[in-house]
Amino acid sequence: MRHLSAALRRYPVIGLTILVGLVVLVLDLAGARTASMWFAVGYVGAFVVWTSIGMVRDILRGHLGLDILAVVAMVATLAVGEYVASLIIVFMLSGGEALEDYAARRARSELSALLDRSPQQAHVFPDPEDSSEVTDVDADDVAVGDVLLIRPSEMVPVDGELLTDSGSFDESSITGESLPVTRNRGDEVLSGSVNGSRAVRLRVVRRSADSQYQQIVALVREAQESRAPVVRLADRFAVPFTAVSLAIAGVAWAVSGDPSRFAEVLVLATPCPLLIAAPVAFLGGLSRAAKAGVILKGGAVVEQLARVRSAAFDKTGTITEGRPDLVEVRPADGFDADDVLGLAASAEQYSSHVLAEGIRRAAAQRGLTIHEVEDAREEATNGVIAQIGGRVVVVGKPAYVASHAPDTARAVLGPGQAAAYVAVDGRFAGALILADDARRESPAVVGWMRTHGVQRIVMLTGDSRDTAESVAVEVGIHEVHAELLPADKVQFAARLQPRPVLMVGDGVNDAPVLAAADVGIAMGAKGATAAGEAADAVILRDSLAGVADAVAISRHTLRTAYIAIWIGIALSIGLMLVATTGVIPAVVGALVQELVDLATILYALRALAARGATGLR
């Protein structure tokens, strides 16, 4: 009973229509038919005026108001004295809003679940040296450097550095990894992780708004608040459906000579299937994608992904794991391997390039000294030049290093290997050979896309051609464009045919091309890239399979939306043709149309079905 009263408060027109219907029924039973009729006419007339105002606003915005059919049907039923049927149409239209809201809540279930799990509070130690006092504050008020207590089974509210010796965390909501992971002192723990069975302490490294889970929540809110391309879908059908409906009703009237036949046909032509089925399907698709670990930023992205005909992939961190390991140091004559590695790691200590991380990691593992840098400058995508102890050290691509050391010699590389070249004081010092393995799912993803209608697949990368081609051969990509600057990638994406074009990158140095492509997908499982404002979609799990899932789910969603619309149109037109014979009274027709609405909405909810996923993980 409580739920019923809440629903009536939320949708007052439904309650008012039921009340008016009961009054009309009582007046009819009391024999006051004239009073009953005028009471119904007054109420329905007011509803027609209110609906017409909204319809005119839609037309002024450039969209044909599909409610014109409902308005004409209500006026027609009143004109022929079928005022009970007109009340049913009012109830149907107002009930359609409630039905749409219910279906939408069901469709966005996974998106809502992510928001519901968002951490709201944090336990802060006012004095980090005193563990006896803890203060609860809003997660948004936590500052960088604060020390937090995370109790057993609690969600980590912000990204932090673990101060306890070790801890076990469930990161499934972030990375999709089903098994708990162990973090040790000094490791970063991402917000959204769920603590294990023992309390731990964290030092905050990012504010709530900048933390991993809040970035995901922001993406989810954007997806929830976005408008699916429903208006465009409805517009494609609105004019012909309206014209056909009015034509059928007009012919029925002309042939029978009975104006009530016009009303009996039009009560079966209400536009609910067009207005409700598409948004429900798109919300279902967004929710299904979220469950698969992909946040799509709105229904328009779903429609574009469903039509993708070309795909471009970055290499490092996208096709490959993005964690290159040093496999060999090849010093030039007169240089020592450890000296070359130590100087390169010192020069690279402030670089954000993925190879720099591998070089620094290798130097640390060998216990090499990292020298203080007196001056350093990084040239994006080319390399760094630094002054270290009075020596000029250059690390980067062969052409860049050769511009400082003409004797630079290219290294022979194996499959999947990359090289960072080093020069010291104008002399070639050697090459650092790193290997970044292709993701194990990359060949399957590329193969799936090729067999599912993506006609052209290319690799766009800033890496050397030899490295790029060896990885491309391994994963099945036949077209490679290597040694590109970010601006070059944008130009290639702009010229790529056929369209629409999908670009997949790591969301950092690929931001320009992600924004330039028809659809940009960022690999966002490893921290800051989850916010990827340049991208249209973000993969939350560290797997390229999310790309194929996104395309498959989008196609399933768009197909479901269209089929739901066609089911509604076909049933409506079929019933209208039957109604031309006069066998469906106006009251019965209005009730039957509710069943048509229900059928289309139930079909639209099929967008939530697991059939959209590829199973490539």
Side-chain angles (χ1 to χ4, degrees), residues 556-587:
H556 178 59
T557 299
L558 190 62
R559 184 167 57 248
T560 299
Y562 273 115
I563 292 175
I565 288 173
W566 278 113
I567 287 174
I569 290 175
L571 289 175
S572 293
I573 290 178
L575 289 167
M576 280 190 283
L577 292 174
V578 174
T580 61
T581 65
V583 298
I584 304 179
V587 172

PDB file of all heavy atoms in Angstrom, residues 556-587:
ATOM      1  N   HIS A 556      24.060  -5.170 -30.481  1.00  0.00           N
ATOM      2  CA  HIS A 556      22.898  -5.864 -29.914  1.00  0.00           C
ATOM      3  C   HIS A 556      21.862  -4.857 -29.426  1.00  0.00           C
ATOM      4  O   HIS A 556      20.651  -5.029 -29.632  1.00  0.00           O
ATOM      5  CB  HIS A 556      23.368  -6.754 -28.765  1.00  0.00           C
ATOM      6  CG  HIS A 556      22.260  -7.480 -28.061  1.00  0.00           C
ATOM      7  ND1 HIS A 556      21.409  -8.349 -28.693  1.00  0.00           N
ATOM      8  CD2 HIS A 556      21.871  -7.446 -26.758  1.00  0.00           C
ATOM      9  CE1 HIS A 556      20.543  -8.844 -27.825  1.00  0.00           C
ATOM     10  NE2 HIS A 556      20.798  -8.301 -26.645  1.00  0.00           N
ATOM     11  N   THR A 557      22.344  -3.759 -28.807  1.00  0.00           N
ATOM     12  CA  THR A 557      21.438  -2.726 -28.285  1.00  0.00           C
ATOM     13  C   THR A 557      20.686  -2.028 -29.407  1.00  0.00           C
ATOM     14  O   THR A 557      19.462  -1.861 -29.348  1.00  0.00           O
ATOM     15  CB  THR A 557      22.236  -1.700 -27.472  1.00  0.00           C
ATOM     16  OG1 THR A 557      22.858  -2.348 -26.364  1.00  0.00           O
ATOM     17  CG2 THR A 557      21.334  -0.583 -26.965  1.00  0.00           C
ATOM     18  N   LEU A 558      21.410  -1.588 -30.435  1.00  0.00           N
ATOM     19  CA  LEU A 558      20.765  -0.867 -31.531  1.00  0.00           C
ATOM     20  C   LEU A 558      19.776  -1.768 -32.256  1.00  0.00           C
ATOM     21  O   LEU A 558      18.664  -1.347 -32.619  1.00  0.00           O
ATOM     22  CB  LEU A 558      21.824  -0.344 -32.506  1.00  0.00           C
ATOM     23  CG  LEU A 558      21.325   0.639 -33.565  1.00  0.00           C
ATOM     24  CD1 LEU A 558      20.763   1.892 -32.918  1.00  0.00           C
ATOM     25  CD2 LEU A 558      22.447   0.999 -34.534  1.00  0.00           C
ATOM     26  N   ARG A 559      20.169  -3.021 -32.460  1.00  0.00           N
ATOM     27  CA  ARG A 559      19.276  -3.974 -33.120  1.00  0.00           C
ATOM     28  C   ARG A 559      18.013  -4.191 -32.282  1.00  0.00           C
ATOM     29  O   ARG A 559      16.893  -4.219 -32.816  1.00  0.00           O
ATOM     30  CB  ARG A 559      20.013  -5.298 -33.338  1.00  0.00           C
ATOM     31  CG  ARG A 559      19.212  -6.339 -34.114  1.00  0.00           C
ATOM     32  CD  ARG A 559      20.110  -7.480 -34.555  1.00  0.00           C
ATOM     33  NE  ARG A 559      20.793  -8.108 -33.440  1.00  0.00           N
ATOM     34  CZ  ARG A 559      22.112  -8.040 -33.230  1.00  0.00           C
ATOM     35  NH1 ARG A 559      22.875  -7.342 -34.047  1.00  0.00           N
ATOM     36  NH2 ARG A 559      22.666  -8.649 -32.196  1.00  0.00           N
ATOM     37  N   THR A 560      18.191  -4.297 -30.964  1.00  0.00           N
ATOM     38  CA  THR A 560      17.050  -4.489 -30.073  1.00  0.00           C
ATOM     39  C   THR A 560      16.109  -3.284 -30.126  1.00  0.00           C
ATOM     40  O   THR A 560      14.882  -3.435 -30.153  1.00  0.00           O
ATOM     41  CB  THR A 560      17.531  -4.713 -28.627  1.00  0.00           C
ATOM     42  OG1 THR A 560      18.354  -5.888 -28.586  1.00  0.00           O
ATOM     43  CG2 THR A 560      16.359  -4.882 -27.674  1.00  0.00           C
ATOM     44  N   ALA A 561      16.686  -2.069 -30.124  1.00  0.00           N
ATOM     45  CA  ALA A 561      15.862  -0.853 -30.172  1.00  0.00           C
ATOM     46  C   ALA A 561      15.029  -0.814 -31.444  1.00  0.00           C
ATOM     47  O   ALA A 561      13.824  -0.531 -31.405  1.00  0.00           O
ATOM     48  CB  ALA A 561      16.751   0.388 -30.068  1.00  0.00           C
ATOM     49  N   TYR A 562      15.650  -1.110 -32.584  1.00  0.00           N
ATOM     50  CA  TYR A 562      14.923  -1.071 -33.849  1.00  0.00           C
ATOM     51  C   TYR A 562      13.837  -2.150 -33.909  1.00  0.00           C
ATOM     52  O   TYR A 562      12.718  -1.899 -34.369  1.00  0.00           O
ATOM     53  CB  TYR A 562      15.892  -1.232 -35.023  1.00  0.00           C
ATOM     54  CG  TYR A 562      16.484   0.068 -35.493  1.00  0.00           C
ATOM     55  CD1 TYR A 562      17.840   0.326 -35.379  1.00  0.00           C
ATOM     56  CD2 TYR A 562      15.684   1.062 -36.061  1.00  0.00           C
ATOM     57  CE1 TYR A 562      18.390   1.528 -35.811  1.00  0.00           C
ATOM     58  CE2 TYR A 562      16.222   2.260 -36.496  1.00  0.00           C
ATOM     59  CZ  TYR A 562      17.571   2.489 -36.372  1.00  0.00           C
ATOM     60  OH  TYR A 562      18.103   3.679 -36.793  1.00  0.00           O
ATOM     61  N   ILE A 563      14.183  -3.347 -33.448  1.00  0.00           N
ATOM     62  CA  ILE A 563      13.190  -4.427 -33.489  1.00  0.00           C
ATOM     63  C   ILE A 563      12.009  -4.094 -32.583  1.00  0.00           C
ATOM     64  O   ILE A 563      10.848  -4.324 -32.951  1.00  0.00           O
ATOM     65  CB  ILE A 563      13.833  -5.771 -33.088  1.00  0.00           C
ATOM     66  CG1 ILE A 563      14.826  -6.222 -34.169  1.00  0.00           C
ATOM     67  CG2 ILE A 563      12.762  -6.840 -32.892  1.00  0.00           C
ATOM     68  CD1 ILE A 563      15.600  -7.474 -33.815  1.00  0.00           C
ATOM     69  N   ALA A 564      12.291  -3.529 -31.390  1.00  0.00           N
ATOM     70  CA  ALA A 564      11.210  -3.159 -30.483  1.00  0.00           C
ATOM     71  C   ALA A 564      10.289  -2.128 -31.128  1.00  0.00           C
ATOM     72  O   ALA A 564       9.057  -2.209 -31.024  1.00  0.00           O
ATOM     73  CB  ALA A 564      11.791  -2.612 -29.174  1.00  0.00           C
ATOM     74  N   ILE A 565      10.901  -1.146 -31.805  1.00  0.00           N
ATOM     75  CA  ILE A 565      10.091  -0.125 -32.496  1.00  0.00           C
ATOM     76  C   ILE A 565       9.247  -0.766 -33.587  1.00  0.00           C
ATOM     77  O   ILE A 565       8.046  -0.481 -33.729  1.00  0.00           O
ATOM     78  CB  ILE A 565      11.008   0.970 -33.072  1.00  0.00           C
ATOM     79  CG1 ILE A 565      11.563   1.843 -31.941  1.00  0.00           C
ATOM     80  CG2 ILE A 565      10.252   1.843 -34.076  1.00  0.00           C
ATOM     81  CD1 ILE A 565      12.613   2.835 -32.389  1.00  0.00           C
ATOM     82  N   TRP A 566       9.854  -1.644 -34.373  1.00  0.00           N
ATOM     83  CA  TRP A 566       9.108  -2.283 -35.468  1.00  0.00           C
ATOM     84  C   TRP A 566       8.003  -3.201 -34.946  1.00  0.00           C
ATOM     85  O   TRP A 566       6.945  -3.320 -35.572  1.00  0.00           O
ATOM     86  CB  TRP A 566      10.060  -3.059 -36.383  1.00  0.00           C
ATOM     87  CG  TRP A 566      10.737  -2.175 -37.388  1.00  0.00           C
ATOM     88  CD1 TRP A 566      12.059  -1.857 -37.471  1.00  0.00           C
ATOM     89  CD2 TRP A 566      10.085  -1.481 -38.463  1.00  0.00           C
ATOM     90  NE1 TRP A 566      12.283  -0.994 -38.514  1.00  0.00           N
ATOM     91  CE2 TRP A 566      11.097  -0.749 -39.150  1.00  0.00           C
ATOM     92  CE3 TRP A 566       8.778  -1.383 -38.900  1.00  0.00           C
ATOM     93  CZ2 TRP A 566      10.809   0.045 -40.256  1.00  0.00           C
ATOM     94  CZ3 TRP A 566       8.491  -0.594 -40.007  1.00  0.00           C
ATOM     95  CH2 TRP A 566       9.497   0.107 -40.674  1.00  0.00           C
ATOM     96  N   ILE A 567       8.263  -3.857 -33.810  1.00  0.00           N
ATOM     97  CA  ILE A 567       7.201  -4.676 -33.204  1.00  0.00           C
ATOM     98  C   ILE A 567       6.007  -3.790 -32.868  1.00  0.00           C
ATOM     99  O   ILE A 567       4.847  -4.127 -33.172  1.00  0.00           O
ATOM    100  CB  ILE A 567       7.716  -5.394 -31.934  1.00  0.00           C
ATOM    101  CG1 ILE A 567       8.654  -6.541 -32.310  1.00  0.00           C
ATOM    102  CG2 ILE A 567       6.544  -5.928 -31.101  1.00  0.00           C
ATOM    103  CD1 ILE A 567       9.325  -7.197 -31.113  1.00  0.00           C
ATOM    104  N   GLY A 568       6.279  -2.636 -32.225  1.00  0.00           N
ATOM    105  CA  GLY A 568       5.192  -1.726 -31.878  1.00  0.00           C
ATOM    106  C   GLY A 568       4.447  -1.219 -33.097  1.00  0.00           C
ATOM    107  O   GLY A 568       3.209  -1.175 -33.124  1.00  0.00           O
ATOM    108  N   ILE A 569       5.210  -0.831 -34.141  1.00  0.00           N
ATOM    109  CA  ILE A 569       4.582  -0.312 -35.363  1.00  0.00           C
ATOM    110  C   ILE A 569       3.753  -1.402 -36.045  1.00  0.00           C
ATOM    111  O   ILE A 569       2.607  -1.167 -36.468  1.00  0.00           O
ATOM    112  CB  ILE A 569       5.657   0.248 -36.316  1.00  0.00           C
ATOM    113  CG1 ILE A 569       6.245   1.548 -35.732  1.00  0.00           C
ATOM    114  CG2 ILE A 569       5.075   0.504 -37.704  1.00  0.00           C
ATOM    115  CD1 ILE A 569       7.382   2.112 -36.537  1.00  0.00           C
ATOM    116  N   ALA A 570       4.342  -2.592 -36.176  1.00  0.00           N
ATOM    117  CA  ALA A 570       3.646  -3.680 -36.875  1.00  0.00           C
ATOM    118  C   ALA A 570       2.356  -4.064 -36.147  1.00  0.00           C
ATOM    119  O   ALA A 570       1.298  -4.235 -36.778  1.00  0.00           O
ATOM    120  CB  ALA A 570       4.575  -4.885 -36.997  1.00  0.00           C
ATOM    121  N   LEU A 571       2.438  -4.207 -34.813  1.00  0.00           N
ATOM    122  CA  LEU A 571       1.238  -4.561 -34.063  1.00  0.00           C
ATOM    123  C   LEU A 571       0.185  -3.456 -34.165  1.00  0.00           C
ATOM    124  O   LEU A 571      -1.010  -3.732 -34.333  1.00  0.00           O
ATOM    125  CB  LEU A 571       1.590  -4.813 -32.599  1.00  0.00           C
ATOM    126  CG  LEU A 571       2.380  -6.092 -32.301  1.00  0.00           C
ATOM    127  CD1 LEU A 571       2.772  -6.148 -30.824  1.00  0.00           C
ATOM    128  CD2 LEU A 571       1.574  -7.328 -32.677  1.00  0.00           C
ATOM    129  N   SER A 572       0.618  -2.201 -34.063  1.00  0.00           N
ATOM    130  CA  SER A 572      -0.331  -1.083 -34.139  1.00  0.00           C
ATOM    131  C   SER A 572      -1.021  -1.035 -35.494  1.00  0.00           C
ATOM    132  O   SER A 572      -2.249  -0.896 -35.581  1.00  0.00           O
ATOM    133  CB  SER A 572       0.393   0.242 -33.859  1.00  0.00           C
ATOM    134  OG  SER A 572       0.829   0.302 -32.518  1.00  0.00           O
ATOM    135  N   ILE A 573      -0.240  -1.137 -36.578  1.00  0.00           N
ATOM    136  CA  ILE A 573      -0.833  -1.065 -37.916  1.00  0.00           C
ATOM    137  C   ILE A 573      -1.746  -2.262 -38.165  1.00  0.00           C
ATOM    138  O   ILE A 573      -2.844  -2.131 -38.731  1.00  0.00           O
ATOM    139  CB  ILE A 573       0.273  -0.973 -38.986  1.00  0.00           C
ATOM    140  CG1 ILE A 573       0.961   0.403 -38.893  1.00  0.00           C
ATOM    141  CG2 ILE A 573      -0.302  -1.179 -40.387  1.00  0.00           C
ATOM    142  CD1 ILE A 573       2.103   0.591 -39.869  1.00  0.00           C
ATOM    143  N   GLY A 574      -1.298  -3.449 -37.716  1.00  0.00           N
ATOM    144  CA  GLY A 574      -2.143  -4.632 -37.879  1.00  0.00           C
ATOM    145  C   GLY A 574      -3.474  -4.479 -37.167  1.00  0.00           C
ATOM    146  O   GLY A 574      -4.545  -4.787 -37.718  1.00  0.00           O
ATOM    147  N   LEU A 575      -3.424  -3.985 -35.930  1.00  0.00           N
ATOM    148  CA  LEU A 575      -4.661  -3.784 -35.165  1.00  0.00           C
ATOM    149  C   LEU A 575      -5.516  -2.671 -35.767  1.00  0.00           C
ATOM    150  O   LEU A 575      -6.753  -2.751 -35.753  1.00  0.00           O
ATOM    151  CB  LEU A 575      -4.311  -3.457 -33.713  1.00  0.00           C
ATOM    152  CG  LEU A 575      -3.747  -4.638 -32.892  1.00  0.00           C
ATOM    153  CD1 LEU A 575      -3.144  -4.142 -31.588  1.00  0.00           C
ATOM    154  CD2 LEU A 575      -4.850  -5.666 -32.623  1.00  0.00           C
ATOM    155  N   MET A 576      -4.860  -1.636 -36.304  1.00  0.00           N
ATOM    156  CA  MET A 576      -5.622  -0.562 -36.963  1.00  0.00           C
ATOM    157  C   MET A 576      -6.388  -1.098 -38.171  1.00  0.00           C
ATOM    158  O   MET A 576      -7.547  -0.731 -38.409  1.00  0.00           O
ATOM    159  CB  MET A 576      -4.684   0.572 -37.389  1.00  0.00           C
ATOM    160  CG  MET A 576      -4.307   1.519 -36.261  1.00  0.00           C
ATOM    161  SD  MET A 576      -3.440   2.983 -36.866  1.00  0.00           S
ATOM    162  CE  MET A 576      -1.816   2.324 -37.159  1.00  0.00           C
ATOM    163  N   LEU A 577      -5.743  -1.971 -38.939  1.00  0.00           N
ATOM    164  CA  LEU A 577      -6.415  -2.541 -40.110  1.00  0.00           C
ATOM    165  C   LEU A 577      -7.618  -3.389 -39.688  1.00  0.00           C
ATOM    166  O   LEU A 577      -8.676  -3.361 -40.332  1.00  0.00           O
ATOM    167  CB  LEU A 577      -5.425  -3.373 -40.922  1.00  0.00           C
ATOM    168  CG  LEU A 577      -4.308  -2.575 -41.627  1.00  0.00           C
ATOM    169  CD1 LEU A 577      -3.311  -3.512 -42.276  1.00  0.00           C
ATOM    170  CD2 LEU A 577      -4.913  -1.632 -42.663  1.00  0.00           C
ATOM    171  N   VAL A 578      -7.443  -4.137 -38.589  1.00  0.00           N
ATOM    172  CA  VAL A 578      -8.578  -4.916 -38.076  1.00  0.00           C
ATOM    173  C   VAL A 578      -9.694  -3.977 -37.600  1.00  0.00           C
ATOM    174  O   VAL A 578     -10.888  -4.224 -37.819  1.00  0.00           O
ATOM    175  CB  VAL A 578      -8.127  -5.840 -36.924  1.00  0.00           C
ATOM    176  CG1 VAL A 578      -9.326  -6.534 -36.283  1.00  0.00           C
ATOM    177  CG2 VAL A 578      -7.121  -6.871 -37.426  1.00  0.00           C
ATOM    178  N   ALA A 579      -9.292  -2.872 -36.957  1.00  0.00           N
ATOM    179  CA  ALA A 579     -10.282  -1.929 -36.428  1.00  0.00           C
ATOM    180  C   ALA A 579     -11.082  -1.247 -37.528  1.00  0.00           C
ATOM    181  O   ALA A 579     -12.193  -0.750 -37.263  1.00  0.00           O
ATOM    182  CB  ALA A 579      -9.579  -0.879 -35.566  1.00  0.00           C
ATOM    183  N   THR A 580     -10.553  -1.212 -38.764  1.00  0.00           N
ATOM    184  CA  THR A 580     -11.317  -0.591 -39.862  1.00  0.00           C
ATOM    185  C   THR A 580     -12.614  -1.348 -40.134  1.00  0.00           C
ATOM    186  O   THR A 580     -13.540  -0.793 -40.720  1.00  0.00           O
ATOM    187  CB  THR A 580     -10.475  -0.536 -41.151  1.00  0.00           C
ATOM    188  OG1 THR A 580     -10.126  -1.873 -41.550  1.00  0.00           O
ATOM    189  CG2 THR A 580      -9.224   0.296 -40.973  1.00  0.00           C
ATOM    190  N   THR A 581     -12.678  -2.606 -39.720  1.00  0.00           N
ATOM    191  CA  THR A 581     -13.895  -3.404 -39.938  1.00  0.00           C
ATOM    192  C   THR A 581     -14.951  -3.139 -38.867  1.00  0.00           C
ATOM    193  O   THR A 581     -16.077  -3.619 -38.984  1.00  0.00           O
ATOM    194  CB  THR A 581     -13.547  -4.906 -39.944  1.00  0.00           C
ATOM    195  OG1 THR A 581     -13.077  -5.281 -38.643  1.00  0.00           O
ATOM    196  CG2 THR A 581     -12.474  -5.212 -40.985  1.00  0.00           C
ATOM    197  N   GLY A 582     -14.573  -2.440 -37.809  1.00  0.00           N
ATOM    198  CA  GLY A 582     -15.517  -2.123 -36.747  1.00  0.00           C
ATOM    199  C   GLY A 582     -15.641  -3.186 -35.677  1.00  0.00           C
ATOM    200  O   GLY A 582     -16.509  -3.083 -34.806  1.00  0.00           O
ATOM    201  N   VAL A 583     -14.739  -4.207 -35.694  1.00  0.00           N
ATOM    202  CA  VAL A 583     -14.873  -5.295 -34.716  1.00  0.00           C
ATOM    203  C   VAL A 583     -14.175  -4.971 -33.392  1.00  0.00           C
ATOM    204  O   VAL A 583     -14.317  -5.719 -32.418  1.00  0.00           O
ATOM    205  CB  VAL A 583     -14.303  -6.616 -35.284  1.00  0.00           C
ATOM    206  CG1 VAL A 583     -15.075  -7.036 -36.517  1.00  0.00           C
ATOM    207  CG2 VAL A 583     -12.810  -6.487 -35.573  1.00  0.00           C
ATOM    208  N   ILE A 584     -13.390  -3.881 -33.342  1.00  0.00           N
ATOM    209  CA  ILE A 584     -12.705  -3.510 -32.097  1.00  0.00           C
ATOM    210  C   ILE A 584     -13.273  -2.192 -31.610  1.00  0.00           C
ATOM    211  O   ILE A 584     -12.969  -1.129 -32.162  1.00  0.00           O
ATOM    212  CB  ILE A 584     -11.174  -3.372 -32.301  1.00  0.00           C
ATOM    213  CG1 ILE A 584     -10.578  -4.652 -32.880  1.00  0.00           C
ATOM    214  CG2 ILE A 584     -10.499  -3.037 -30.969  1.00  0.00           C
ATOM    215  CD1 ILE A 584      -9.082  -4.579 -33.121  1.00  0.00           C
ATOM    216  N   PRO A 585     -14.127  -2.196 -30.600  1.00  0.00           N
ATOM    217  CA  PRO A 585     -14.670  -0.952 -30.057  1.00  0.00           C
ATOM    218  C   PRO A 585     -13.551  -0.054 -29.532  1.00  0.00           C
ATOM    219  O   PRO A 585     -12.462  -0.530 -29.185  1.00  0.00           O
ATOM    220  CB  PRO A 585     -15.582  -1.426 -28.924  1.00  0.00           C
ATOM    221  CG  PRO A 585     -15.863  -2.863 -29.230  1.00  0.00           C
ATOM    222  CD  PRO A 585     -14.646  -3.387 -29.911  1.00  0.00           C
ATOM    223  N   ALA A 586     -13.815   1.228 -29.449  1.00  0.00           N
ATOM    224  CA  ALA A 586     -12.796   2.192 -29.038  1.00  0.00           C
ATOM    225  C   ALA A 586     -12.240   1.877 -27.655  1.00  0.00           C
ATOM    226  O   ALA A 586     -11.029   1.958 -27.423  1.00  0.00           O
ATOM    227  CB  ALA A 586     -13.370   3.603 -29.077  1.00  0.00           C
ATOM    228  N   VAL A 587     -13.117   1.503 -26.714  1.00  0.00           N
ATOM    229  CA  VAL A 587     -12.660   1.198 -25.352  1.00  0.00           C
ATOM    230  C   VAL A 587     -11.733  -0.012 -25.357  1.00  0.00           C
ATOM    231  O   VAL A 587     -10.665  -0.003 -24.732  1.00  0.00           O
ATOM    232  CB  VAL A 587     -13.865   0.953 -24.420  1.00  0.00           C
ATOM    233  CG1 VAL A 587     -13.397   0.450 -23.057  1.00  0.00           C
ATOM    234  CG2 VAL A 587     -14.681   2.227 -24.264  1.00  0.00           C
TER     235      VAL A 587
END
